[in-house]
Amino acid sequence: MGVFYCTRESVKLALDVNETARAEWQVDEAIDAASREIERCTHRVFYPWTGTRYFDWPSPQNGTSYRLWLEEDELISATRVTSGTVEITLDQYNLEPVNQGPPFDRLELLLDGPATFGQSDSHQHDVAITGVFAGCALDESVVGVLASAVGSTINTAITVTDPWSVGVGSILRVESERMLVTERSWTASTQTVQTDALTVMKNDQVVKVTDGTVFSRGETVMIDAEQLRVDEITGNSLIVTRAWNGSTLAGHDVGATIYRGTLLTVTRGALGTTAATHSISAPVYRFNPPAQVRSLARAQALDTILQERSGYARVVGSGDNARGASGVALSSLWARVEDDLGRIRLGVV
């Protein structure tokens, strides 16, 4: 799968969960398609990538001798810039627009400095820039710490102390390594059902536990084969929605083990980074695409799933008032994202 601009969990939450529990592959495909369409329409990507990008000089896209337009390779930060074999040091160029970036859409040599482009024998790949590239600001949030140490090669699964701050499709960073979350799995917690058994009734919504601070509002837990969404936490009582995520309502005895989806399957060394060893309690950061992009990816994925299930014949209303679903709100959201975030420079300026 490619980089997601929203998580599987956020789409499932907005859909009929009884259906989506059996069709996670469909949700993932819809998010992937929506994310790629956003990139096509805005002419940029909304995730960080670390490495080296190459640029021709002179290029038809560059109108002056000192300015290099980065086009779709917008830059967050640079660690090395060269022209041919000649290094251009940090004090010899500016990243622009300085008052609005990052991301930066051009690199400009200082007019009173010694650096010049065109140091190669050929114009092809004359300029090389090593750094972090993205079409949006590098917005990250702390989502906990590693619950156990991670090796550089053997671990494809990690546990974090606040797993419900991330979802399938999230981009995580531990130190300099980025990871893509590709799946979530159940693990037994130290918690069990306390005091009162749960009956086979949807309005039996209080689960007594030993320590309520272990859980997070909004997470999904599993008891036997039934999944339950935690809506509120009051002391050591969880207020839950029963038979969540398409699972079957069932009774549960006192002492039944409570399982949590805390084990995250990840792609290591993602987006140009290298897999490394990380110690227990290392901080874990989650990358946040722009809010408008997240909303659009989620809305487009929802629309795709609902259209597929109706054979692309969705209607609103009924009887004489039935009419095709127009998607006006979705079109408006697309227009706002393209207006606000679309990269419009496609030729020489």
Side-chain angles (χ1 to χ4, degrees):
M1 75 185 199
V3 175
F4 286 3
Y5 291 142
C6 66
T7 65
R8 176 198 292 171
E9 289 82 352
S10 68
V11 174
K12 290 176 65 175
L13 187 62
L15 283 167
D16 182 348
V17 294
N18 290 326
E19 296 184 39
T20 59
R22 300 190 302 272
E24 290 184 341
W25 62 268
Q26 185 185 26
V27 175
D28 291 352
E29 281 192 350
I31 296 173
D32 198 9
S35 301
R36 304 293 77 75
E37 184 65 10
I38 289 171
E39 293 171 358
R40 186 188 70 81
C41 291
T42 59
H43 307 287
R44 60 179 11 146
V45 299
F46 299 95
Y47 59 83
W49 181 87
T50 301
T52 301
R53 297 281 172 86
Y54 297 90
F55 305 84
D56 292 348
W57 185 268
S59 165
Q61 299 299 327
N62 293 283
T64 63
S65 61
Y66 64 89
R67 180 182 295 126
L68 175 69
W69 287 101
L70 302 175
E71 297 296 336
E72 66 272 13
D73 296 311
E74 292 166 298
L75 191 62
I76 299 297
S77 60
T79 56
R80 191 166 189 260
V81 179
T82 60
S83 175
T85 60
V86 179
E87 183 166 359
I88 300 174
T89 58
L90 180 63
D91 59 348
Q92 295 175 341
Y93 66 85
N94 290 326
L95 295 175
E96 301 288 353
V98 64
N99 293 325
Q100 299 174 26
F104 302 106
D105 62 15
R106 62 192 184 273
L107 182 151
E108 296 187 0
L109 300 179
L110 297 184
L111 297 179
D112 58 354
T116 60
F117 296 130
Q119 299 298 314
S120 299
D121 293 334
S122 166
H123 73 282
Q124 293 178 312
H125 299 178
D126 172 75
V127 181
I129 301 176
T130 301
V132 179
F133 298 83
C136 60
L138 195 60
D139 179 16
E140 294 182 324
S141 301
V142 178
V143 293
V145 299
L146 288 179
S148 59
V150 176
S152 60
T153 58
I154 60 174
N155 298 82
T156 57
I158 64 171
T159 54
V160 299
T161 55
D162 191 9
W164 290 95
S165 295
V166 302
V168 174
S170 293
I171 299 173
L172 303 182
R173 180 178 63 83
V174 182
E175 297 174 319
S176 63
E177 180 188 354
R178 289 193 174 87
M179 310 175 190
L180 298 179
V181 179
T182 59
E183 197 52 78
R184 183 193 297 278
S185 303
W186 299 102
T187 56
S189 72
T190 59
Q191 302 285 302
T192 60
V193 176
Q194 299 289 310
T195 311
D196 300 319
L198 290 172
T199 63
V200 191
M201 298 182 66
K202 294 201 74 170
N203 63 356
D204 190 358
Q205 296 178 273
V206 179
V207 180
K208 300 290 183 63
V209 297
T210 305
D211 184 4
T213 63
V214 169
F215 300 91
S216 301
R217 180 181 176 184
E219 77 165 284
T220 299
V221 299
M222 185 166 66
I223 305 174
D224 299 321
E226 180 187 354
Q227 295 182 34
L228 308 90
R229 186 187 67 191
V230 179
D231 298 323
E232 299 288 345
I233 302 172
T234 305
N236 293 328
S237 296
L238 310 181
I239 314 302
V240 300
T241 296
R242 301 288 302 274
W244 184 248
N245 208 24
S247 60
T248 301
L249 186 68
H252 309 289
D253 296 331
V254 172
T257 299
I258 301 175
Y259 291 82
R260 304 180 70 210
T262 58
L263 189 64
L264 304 175
T265 301
V266 296
T267 298
R268 299 290 307 279
L271 304 176
T273 64
T274 301
T277 298
H278 307 292
S279 61
I280 187 172
S281 299
V284 180
Y285 299 86
R286 181 195 65 215
F287 171 71
N288 304 311
Q292 288 173 289
V293 172
R294 296 198 303 271
S295 294
L296 178 55
R298 184 165 50 247
Q300 183 61 57
L302 287 168
D303 184 69
T304 297
I305 294 166
L306 293 174
Q307 290 285 11
E308 287 178 347
R309 292 177 180 177
S310 67
Y312 283 87
R314 286 176 62 206
V315 296
V316 293
S318 60
D320 294 338
N321 294 319
R323 61 191 186 280
S326 63
V328 172
L330 182 58
S331 297
S332 176
L333 185 54
W334 270 106
R336 291 200 301 273
V337 168
E338 291 185 52
D339 287 345
D340 294 346
L341 300 174
R343 187 176 62 82
I344 61 174
R345 183 186 183 276
L346 299 175
V348 176
V349 174

